[in-house]
């Protein structure tokens, strides 16, 4: 099974945003480069935090390199494709980024390639909250998913960002 995940992040300082973009897009599967780029973001703890993340992934080339990267409404959005442990990898990436730059707003959405299943990751203070849902099984449940999980996850994001299967279905109408 493959898991597809979108990582969203925003920092008020555009130079920090650019450095984080570089961290994921310029390491070229080279751990030394990854460590150096993390150290440029957080001189005190960056290298140590990056090493901890590297120790948690199987293959840097696949686990820490996005398939695509772009900006929308001031947010960087990185799309990853992982194996069945992709949700665990995304949690590790979120913890890493929040520790690397505590002012960073960072959250993620992901789904499997088989069933209509979604997972949502977002920090509330220092705590990473995870929600899971299975849309398209029951119209009433879909209304609850939109009212609860979708509303919670999208809170504070620009209106241009509309993540989730149910939002895609609405956009296709």
């Amino acid at each position: 099974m493959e898991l597809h995940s979108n990582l969203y992040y925003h920092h008020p300082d555009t130079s920090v945003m650019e450095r984080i973009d570089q961290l994921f897009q310029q390491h070229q599967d080279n751990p030394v480069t990854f460590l150096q780029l993390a150290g440029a973001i957080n001189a005190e703890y960056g290298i140590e935090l990056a090493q901890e993340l590297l120790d948690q992934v199987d293959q840097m080339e696949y686990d820490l390199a996005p398939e695509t990267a772009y900006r929308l409404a001031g947010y960087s959005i990185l799309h990853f494709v992982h194996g069945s442990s992709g949700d665990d990898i995304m949690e590790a990436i979120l913890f890493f980024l929040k520790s690397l730059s505590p002012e960073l707003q960072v959250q993620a959405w992901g789904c499997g390639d088989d069933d209509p299943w979604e997972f949502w990751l977002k920090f509330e203070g220092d705590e990473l909250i995870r929600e899971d849902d299975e849309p398209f099984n029951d119209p009433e449940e879909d209304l609850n998913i939109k009212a609860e999980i979708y509303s919670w996850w999208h809170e504070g994001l620009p209106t241009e960002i509309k993540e989730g299967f149910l939002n895609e279905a609405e956009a296709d109408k």
Side-chain angles (χ1 to χ4, degrees):
M1 167 158 84
E2 284 187 339
L3 294 183
H4 296 264
S5 306
N6 290 333
L7 173 69
Y8 292 81
Y9 56 88
H10 177 287
H11 194 284
D13 184 337
T14 56
S15 67
V16 173
M17 288 280 293
E18 290 171 13
R19 287 186 196 134
I20 295 171
D21 290 344
Q22 292 170 353
L23 178 68
F24 287 100
Q25 298 173 47
Q26 294 183 2
H27 61 70
Q28 304 291 322
D29 194 28
N30 183 333
V32 173
T33 302
F34 191 79
L35 294 170
Q36 290 172 339
L37 291 168
I41 297 167
N42 182 326
E44 189 172 357
Y45 300 111
I47 292 173
E48 177 184 337
L49 293 166
Q51 186 61 59
E52 287 175 12
L53 180 62
L54 290 172
D55 292 342
Q56 293 179 52
V57 299
D58 291 328
Q59 296 181 339
M60 181 182 179
E61 174 184 12
Y62 301 108
D63 295 338
L64 299 180
E67 300 264 325
T68 61
Y70 62 98
R71 291 245 177 118
L72 176 65
Y75 281 73
S76 286
I77 304 168
L78 308 181
H79 177 77
F80 292 87
V81 178
H82 295 110
S84 60
S85 63
D87 52 341
D88 294 331
I89 293 169
M90 288 309 297
E91 286 184 24
I93 290 171
L94 265 68
F95 277 121
F96 162 70
L97 287 173
K98 193 67 169 174
S99 297
L100 190 67
S101 180
E103 306 83 29
L104 189 70
Q105 179 185 351
V106 59
Q107 55 198 80
W109 168 88
C111 66
D113 63 351
D114 294 333
D115 300 323
W117 161 73
E118 304 171 296
F119 66 92
W120 307 83
L121 300 167
K122 181 178 178 179
F123 280 96
E124 289 186 5
D126 291 336
E127 183 180 3
L128 183 61
I129 305 295
R130 177 187 174 136
E131 294 288 342
D132 290 72
D133 67 61
E134 295 179 18
F136 307 124
N137 289 323
D138 175 353
E140 273 190 50
E141 182 61 24
D142 287 352
L143 291 175
N144 287 337
I145 290 169
K146 284 210 49 138
E148 294 173 13
I149 296 173
Y150 278 45
S151 292
W152 161 77
W153 191 86
H154 286 89
E155 185 179 335
L157 290 174
T159 56
E160 296 92 337
I161 296 176
K162 299 221 183 273
E163 191 60 84
F165 289 140
L166 296 172
N167 283 338
E168 288 175 17
E170 279 183 9
D172 290 343
K173 291 181 182 180

